Amino acid sequence: MQPSSDLSWPDIKDYGIIGDCRSAALVSRNGSIDWLCWPRFDKPAIFAALLDRDRGGYWRISPAEPVTIERQYVSDANVLETRFTNRHGSATLTDLMPGAPTPSPNRFVPDHEIIRKVECVAGALELEIEFSPRADYGKRPLEIREHGKLGLRMVIGRGAYWLRSSVPLLIDKGSARARVTVRAGETLRFSFTYSEEAPSVLRPLDQSLNDRIDLSVSHWQQWGRRATYDGIYRNEVVRSALVLKLLSYAPSGAMIAAPTTSLPERLGGNLNWDYRYCWLRDAALTIRALLELGYWSEAGDFLDWMLQATRLTQPELRILYSVYGDEAPRERELEYLSGYRGSRPVRIGNAARKQLQLDVYGEVVDAAAQFAFHGGHLDREMQEALIGFGNYVVKNWNQPDQGIWEPRSEPENHTHSRLLCWTSLDRLATLSERGMLSGTPIELYKQHRDAIRDQIEKRAWNEELQSYVSVLDGNELDSSLLLLSWYGFEEAGSPRMRSTYTAIRERLGTPDGLLYRYEKEKEGTFAICSFWEAEYLAMGGGSLDEAHQLFRQLIKYRSDLGLYGEEIDARTGAALGNFPQAYTHVGLIGAALSISQRENGERQLQHRPPTTAEQGFSEAGS
Amino acid sequence: MNWASCLLSGFVATLALSTLLATSQGFGLTRMNLPYLIGTFITPQREKAKFYGFVLNLLIGWVFSILYVWIFEARHMANWWFGSLLGLAHALMVLTLGMSLMPGIHPRMASEEHGPNANRQLEPPGFMALNYGIRTPISVFLAHAVFGAILGSLYHFPGA
């Protein structure tokens, strides 16, 4: 058997994700689980080969000889199927973390479980199974103990892991291995569980395992098929919604940015960050995606989480939180890990937690406003929190901050942050005028809102460039300026927005339709910015055909499983950054929704006043 | 036997035992959740099992209180150290005999010999309950020693 170091690094796009809305695992094309953190997303990994092939730990079930590999998710489900085929035979590996509720009150449910099943569908295939768990992100091997027919047990701290396998595994130096030939009609079954409470639940590997897979598929499909979007990009939209669901933390309603840490934004570079936390920056776009796909309870849970989890710091907001609303951990480097393809350091925790980012106030307020405009109720506590945010913005909107992209440099007067401060006061005034918010100092909010508008129009507009610019009185561009229309500050079809768009495309665009987020760093193009562009076109910044054309171009960059990372390498089309990325999938859903709404003559983005163009659409539609 | 004193001190001692074991679990000394372990005799549903287990544990605690008090009466001695000694002996019995018999008497517990099946899916405790954490015996000895100490301290002989 080949040592793990001989395995080449998979591309980031070669990973699929499975999860149970509390934790997630990444499975490579060759059937190796290279990333798994239990019991929740931000806990230490037991498999971390994603970040170090030699010492990270993995669980591989793959053919002993070269094969062709095809993968897919079961339709509208987060159940991954990998088909290995060579001249000798063909077998399908099914991977999932069961997320379905227990079907009967007489059944046990493990706290966390990964099910893996190999079914040989033709001929015979020789498989290698290698299970190499490691404690604390590959820091040390684990002692694997055999417990007869119960399976193999490992203990880390207060948690116990059990691996059950239908084939005998040989324990050797912290790993368990087997080499086995499966023939047509034969099945191998595995159950890997984790619990911090004894007695653990150990699942039988009989026919009931198939029932559990079927139940999980049915559970996901029921959820996926609730999506109300019925446009031509339905497959992409539902897959993106399923990714968002996987990245949500069911016990609290939070949504993390990505399930991984330190996948590089530049191969071999040091732009490696831990994204296993919840960024308020994503709030408004995420709520919009959930609401307009019909996922009301998820949107409500997410809003509840935002307003409850941030209670300790209100009226001030941090830019990121843990899934329970705690401060994200202090950033530290795991020096013993090589990093993905040598991209060091590997970081856990995130130092951005201490940054000032004024846009988050607008994000949270806009998310709440969207919820209310769609018929949701803002209770007294929510209203008090929102007014607290508004009062904070009134006092602080003129401060420099780190801005949406969180550069680790001196604060500046970011246009995007001003835009979101304007948004927060505008939404609060609107909510108050519509009787959805009481006790608002509405005139004060309007006065400051108008002052912010005045400042943006005068100081964020560069006459020479004929474009809005990244920072006040500056001369650099930023793709986030496309959001001036999204938040309703400026109509997409206005002369200023059109010329800003032209400038952004010229200076930040690539010939293949991708966009860099700004001009400062050498990194990949930023995937969500391209979806913002498609949405900007759909909102009236261009024609419907242009929006479709760009959207179709962008979906070429998704993985074979429909997943996106944070960035796209403009040269190779490879995914960069943490994977899969909620923000990018939110962007895809948003663009698809706006395109569809324009096609159908429907009102776009109900969180802002209707634009002239939209009034036109509505009239045409009626 | 002073029944009122026996039941009252048994109630307090059982609560203390349950609290100590829960605290041990919270601090990571053991993974064992005693109410869950006991409650799964009745139902596999986790939250219900914990509730039933808590109630059952109180009842079992009373039964053992009667046994302890019976020994106090037989020896004409009830104090904290004698109670603790009984508690340690009790813990030793639970950890060795009780835990090794558990897969045989628990209707939902699997065993190393047979593995899990449709009805039996719970991890057995193993010798000295070490499957539930290497420090589990410490928690169990401590909790039972405190159980006995409280009983020995609080129990009043009839007419005393």
Side-chain angles (χ1 to χ4, degrees):
Chain A
M1 198 168 292
Q2 295 296 309
S4 61
S5 55
D6 288 346
L7 299 170
S8 61
W9 287 91
D11 288 338
I12 291 173
K13 246 183 351 190
D14 279 344
Y15 283 100
I17 181 174
I18 54 173
D20 59 3
C21 301
R22 287 174 294 165
S23 55
L26 262 58
V27 189
S28 74
R29 280 181 73 80
N30 74 341
S32 181
I33 297 181
D34 287 348
W35 184 251
L36 172 65
C37 302
W38 268 344
R40 65 183 215 204
F41 299 110
D42 56 350
K43 292 295 182 184
I46 185 169
F47 301 129
L50 182 70
L51 299 173
D52 192 315
R53 305 304 290 167
D54 288 330
R55 64 179 300 171
Y58 55 90
W59 178 14
R60 184 167 61 88
I61 300 177
S62 58
E65 295 178 25
V67 288
T68 57
I69 301 172
E70 296 168 88
R71 297 187 303 171
Q72 62 173 18
Y73 280 111
V74 175
S75 173
D76 293 344
N78 282 316
V79 174
L80 181 61
E81 291 181 338
T82 307
R83 171 73 65 94
F84 302 116
T85 306
N86 68 11
R87 61 196 169 91
H88 302 299
S90 181
T92 302
L93 168 66
T94 302
D95 286 301
L96 68 149
M97 290 168 76
T102 180
S104 147
N106 296 319
R107 301 272 173 86
F108 286 105
V109 180
D111 291 347
H112 296 276
E113 183 182 21
I114 289 178
I115 289 176
R116 311 194 81 182
K117 183 180 84 165
V118 183
E119 201 165 13
C120 186
V121 291
L125 208 61
E126 189 174 26
L127 295 172
E128 290 176 349
I129 299 154
E130 188 165 8
F131 177 82
S132 296
R134 299 288 182 264
D136 201 10
Y137 305 96
K139 195 166 190 177
R140 62 179 193 281
L142 284 174
E143 184 186 4
I144 302 176
R145 287 196 172 189
E146 189 171 0
H147 286 262
K149 291 188 175 175
L150 295 174
L152 309 180
R153 186 169 71 97
M154 297 127 274
V155 174
I156 305 176
R158 61 176 59 188
Y161 299 81
W162 281 93
L163 173 65
R164 307 206 64 248
S165 164
S166 64
V167 287
L169 300 175
L170 183 68
I171 299 173
D172 177 33
K173 295 176 187 167
S175 295
R177 300 184 174 90
R179 194 172 180 121
V180 60
T181 300
V182 281
R183 301 176 198 289
E186 289 180 350
T187 302
L188 309 181
R189 299 183 176 103
F190 306 86
S191 166
F192 184 44
T193 57
Y194 174 80
S195 180
E196 292 183 354
E197 190 168 79
S200 300
V201 175
L202 307 174
R203 306 301 292 264
L205 298 176
D206 52 17
Q207 177 59 30
S208 67
L209 183 134
N210 289 344
D211 297 341
R212 276 143 52 203
I213 295 175
D214 292 344
L215 186 74
S216 200
V217 167
S218 163
H219 163 74
W220 283 117
Q221 287 179 335
Q222 281 175 24
W223 190 88
R225 290 170 184 171
R226 274 173 45 206
T228 53
Y229 173 87
D230 59 358
I232 60 172
Y233 305 115
R234 183 170 170 85
N235 286 343
E236 291 78 10
V237 167
V238 172
R239 177 52 50 201
S240 291
L242 284 162
V243 171
L244 296 187
K245 183 67 174 167
L246 273 185
L247 299 182
S248 65
Y249 186 72
S252 70
M255 190 175 292
I256 60 163
T260 58
T261 178
S262 300
L263 287 178
E265 294 172 16
R266 184 176 58 213
L267 281 182
N270 61 355
L271 300 174
N272 317 318
W273 318 110
D274 190 350
Y275 275 23
R276 297 172 298 160
Y277 310 106
C278 316
W279 265 259
L280 296 184
R281 175 191 76 180
D282 307 353
L285 284 85
T286 304
I287 283 271
R288 184 276 182 116
L290 294 173
L291 285 173
E292 296 195 11
L293 289 180
Y295 293 116
W296 274 78
S297 63
E298 284 78 4
D301 289 347
F302 185 46
L303 183 65
D304 280 344
W305 173 81
M306 269 190 294
L307 295 177
Q308 294 294 330
T310 59
R311 182 167 288 177
L312 285 178
T313 63
Q314 288 176 13
E316 287 185 34
L317 292 172
R318 304 281 177 264
I319 64 174
L320 68 154
Y321 291 86
S322 80
V323 291
Y324 280 119
D326 305 321
E327 195 171 33
R330 181 179 57 82
E331 186 172 286
R332 61 193 178 96
E333 297 178 359
L334 302 181
E335 292 174 357
Y336 55 88
L337 291 177
S338 70
Y340 178 80
R341 291 186 177 169
S343 306
R344 301 183 72 181
V346 170
R347 296 182 175 95
I348 56 171
N350 201 307
R353 66 191 185 136
K354 295 292 185 191
Q355 289 188 351
L356 173 67
Q357 204 175 306
L358 289 166
D359 60 328
V360 294
Y361 296 89
E363 290 288 348
V364 174
V365 171
D366 189 70
Q370 290 186 61
F371 184 71
F373 296 160
H374 279 81
H377 172 67
L378 301 176
D379 63 30
R380 170 58 53 191
E381 279 186 16
M382 287 177 168
Q383 292 186 32
E384 286 173 0
L386 293 173
I387 291 169
F389 298 146
N391 294 340
Y392 181 88
V393 169
V394 163
K395 288 180 191 154
N396 293 284
W397 65 264
N398 217 5
Q399 302 291 321
D401 71 347
Q402 255 80 22
I404 182 174
W405 305 126
E406 301 161 11
R408 296 189 177 184
S409 55
E410 288 302 305
E412 293 186 276
N413 292 303
H414 291 96
T415 304
H416 178 267
S417 299
R418 292 290 196 279
L419 166 67
L420 268 298
C421 286
W422 174 88
T423 302
S424 65
L425 299 179
D426 183 72
R427 301 301 179 266
L428 290 170
T430 309
L431 283 168
S432 185
E433 284 169 349
R434 294 190 188 179
M436 296 167 173
L437 192 63
S438 55
T440 319
I442 189 166
E443 289 310 317
L444 181 71
Y445 286 179
K446 282 183 172 176
Q447 179 193 333
H448 282 270
R449 177 193 66 182
D450 295 343
I452 300 172
R453 171 175 280 281
D454 190 53
Q455 188 185 65
I456 292 175
E457 287 179 345
K458 285 180 178 156
R459 295 179 56 196
W461 176 256
N462 186 310
E463 200 60 39
E464 191 181 336
L465 295 175
Q466 283 295 295
S467 174
Y468 284 109
V469 284
S470 176
V471 297
L472 303 185
D473 309 315
N475 55 13
E476 291 193 347
L477 299 187
D478 185 324
S479 292
S480 66
L481 295 167
L482 292 171
L483 294 174
L484 283 159
S485 301
W486 200 90
Y487 291 103
F489 182 88
E490 181 94 71
E491 285 194 25
S494 73
R496 276 193 168 195
M497 277 311 294
R498 282 183 185 273
S499 63
T500 298
Y501 170 61
T502 304
I504 286 174
R505 183 108 284 288
E506 279 175 5
R507 286 173 64 167
L508 299 177
T510 75
D512 296 321
L514 300 170
L515 279 181
Y516 292 95
R517 53 177 160 170
Y518 47 47
E519 299 170 287
K520 289 172 186 167
E521 295 262 13
K522 287 289 176 202
E523 57 175 21
T525 58
F526 213 77
I528 194 172
C529 297
S530 297
F531 286 112
W532 289 343
E533 181 183 354
E535 186 160 18
Y536 166 78
L537 295 170
M539 285 163 52
S543 68
L544 196 51
D545 279 348
E546 286 174 311
H548 272 300
Q549 193 179 344
L550 178 57
F551 194 93
R552 281 195 290 266
Q553 176 67 16
L554 296 177
I555 58 179
K556 288 179 187 168
Y557 292 103
R558 71 194 193 280
S559 76
D560 55 337
L561 296 172
L563 306 180
Y564 287 91
E566 183 177 36
E567 299 186 2
I568 298 168
D569 186 318
R571 191 172 49 83
T572 64
L576 293 169
N578 286 308
F579 188 87
Q581 182 87 194
Y583 209 26
T584 308
H585 286 279
V586 163
L588 181 149
I589 294 170
L593 284 168
S594 285
I595 290 172
S596 172
Q597 286 160 346
R598 180 162 173 187
E599 268 178 342
N600 299 330
E602 294 166 357
R603 168 92 184 274
Q604 293 172 318
L605 296 170
Q606 295 187 32
H607 63 134
R608 59 186 175 82
T611 63
T612 312
E614 283 167 350
Q615 284 169 347
F617 300 153
S618 299
E619 284 157 17
S622 62
Chain B
M1 183 182 288
N2 182 344
W3 281 97
S5 177
C6 174
L7 293 178
L8 181 63
S9 51
F11 179 76
V12 174
T14 308
L15 274 186
L17 178 140
S18 303
T19 305
L20 270 174
L21 285 176
T23 307
S24 299
Q25 194 194 352
F27 281 110
L29 283 175
T30 177
R31 291 192 300 116
M32 184 173 71
N33 186 316
L34 189 62
Y36 179 52
L37 178 63
I38 296 173
T40 45
F41 272 88
I42 298 173
T43 175
Q45 289 181 289
R46 189 179 297 267
E47 296 312 316
K48 280 187 181 172
K50 287 178 183 174
F51 175 72
Y52 294 148
F54 177 75
V55 174
L56 270 177
N57 191 38
L58 275 181
L59 296 176
I60 294 167
W62 265 325
V63 171
F64 275 100
S65 302
I66 294 168
L67 279 176
Y68 276 54
V69 166
W70 183 74
I71 295 171
F72 293 156
E73 293 280 356
R75 303 290 301 176
H76 303 291
M77 182 166 59
N79 56 42
W80 69 268
W81 65 264
F82 184 56
S84 294
L85 279 180
L86 287 181
L88 291 172
H90 179 189
L92 187 64
M93 190 188 73
V94 166
L95 285 169
T96 52
L97 198 62
M99 293 301 178
S100 64
L101 289 176
M102 192 66 83
I105 57 175
H106 196 304
R108 294 185 170 86
M109 188 161 281
S111 70
E112 293 201 8
E113 291 74 32
H114 301 294
N117 60 35
N119 298 318
R120 293 176 171 270
Q121 298 185 13
L122 292 178
E123 167 193 29
F127 176 67
M128 299 286 273
L130 289 170
N131 284 1
Y132 297 168
I134 198 159
R135 289 185 290 265
T136 302
I138 298 172
S139 307
V140 174
F141 274 118
L142 182 68
H144 283 80
V146 169
F147 175 86
I150 290 174
L151 263 178
S153 302
L154 295 186
Y155 180 69
H156 291 281
F157 287 105

